[in-house]
Amino acid sequence: MGKKIKLIEPTKAHISKAERLDREAMREELFEYPDLNTQPPTFLTGEALNEWNRVVPLLQSDIPISELDYSLITSYCAAVGTIIDCQNDINKRGVILADTEKPNPSVRVQSQAMKDMRMLANSLGMSLDSRMKLALNKVKEKPVDPFESLLGSD
């Protein structure tokens, strides 16, 4: 895997005007993709649909999501729905099934759905860690100095 490109200057290293312009262009390009279709997929029901209706407006307000992210968001919502459905089954039947004295299969399914949800949330900028990185990049963004061009520094 190659080195990640930083869109906003979170480093203390000096970058040239050309590199700065390239990074600004890349940042602007993130907002040029087709807008996200906010209609949920028809197969999302119950808690997964509730999660779609909760999370899509939040994502649209803070993150440059687009139609390209539709499948990730759908998968995230399906994972959340699975977690809740499994928890309801665990609450109803217990961690160990009384009739067979074997572990409830919902525990294993829920555990995998939680792993999937965490990975998808991180990819979508929904985890605390990924939001902190975004916030750090915003804080470290250097204001444009109108006199910099007069001084002729790169």
Side-chain angles (χ1 to χ4, degrees), residues 36-142:
L36 177 70
N37 174 7
T38 58
Q39 291 299 318
T42 56
F43 60 84
L44 284 184
T45 59
E47 294 299 330
L49 182 60
N50 291 342
E51 183 67 6
W52 176 279
N53 292 327
R54 184 187 77 81
V55 80
V56 166
L58 295 172
L59 287 171
Q60 285 181 309
S61 67
D62 291 334
I63 299 171
I65 61 169
S66 73
E67 189 60 27
L68 297 173
D69 302 310
Y70 190 83
S71 295
L72 281 176
I73 298 167
T74 300
S75 298
Y76 168 82
C77 293
V80 170
T82 300
I83 291 166
I84 294 169
D85 291 344
C86 288
Q87 188 60 52
N88 289 336
D89 183 58
I90 293 167
N91 291 346
K92 181 179 177 183
R93 300 193 309 158
V95 174
I96 304 295
L97 301 177
D99 54 344
T100 62
E101 295 185 17
K102 292 185 178 181
N104 187 335
S106 291
V107 173
R108 189 180 71 255
V109 172
Q110 183 186 46
S111 178
Q112 183 59 50
M114 286 177 173
K115 290 174 187 173
D116 294 343
M117 184 207 61
R118 278 192 300 269
M119 184 265 307
L120 292 162
N122 195 40
S123 295
L124 290 165
M126 295 169 59
S127 68
L128 179 59
D129 186 47
S130 60
R131 287 193 316 272
M132 285 174 48
K133 288 177 185 174
L134 289 171
L136 182 62
N137 284 341
K138 285 181 184 178
V139 168
K140 289 187 175 185
E141 184 174 0
K142 185 178 176 182

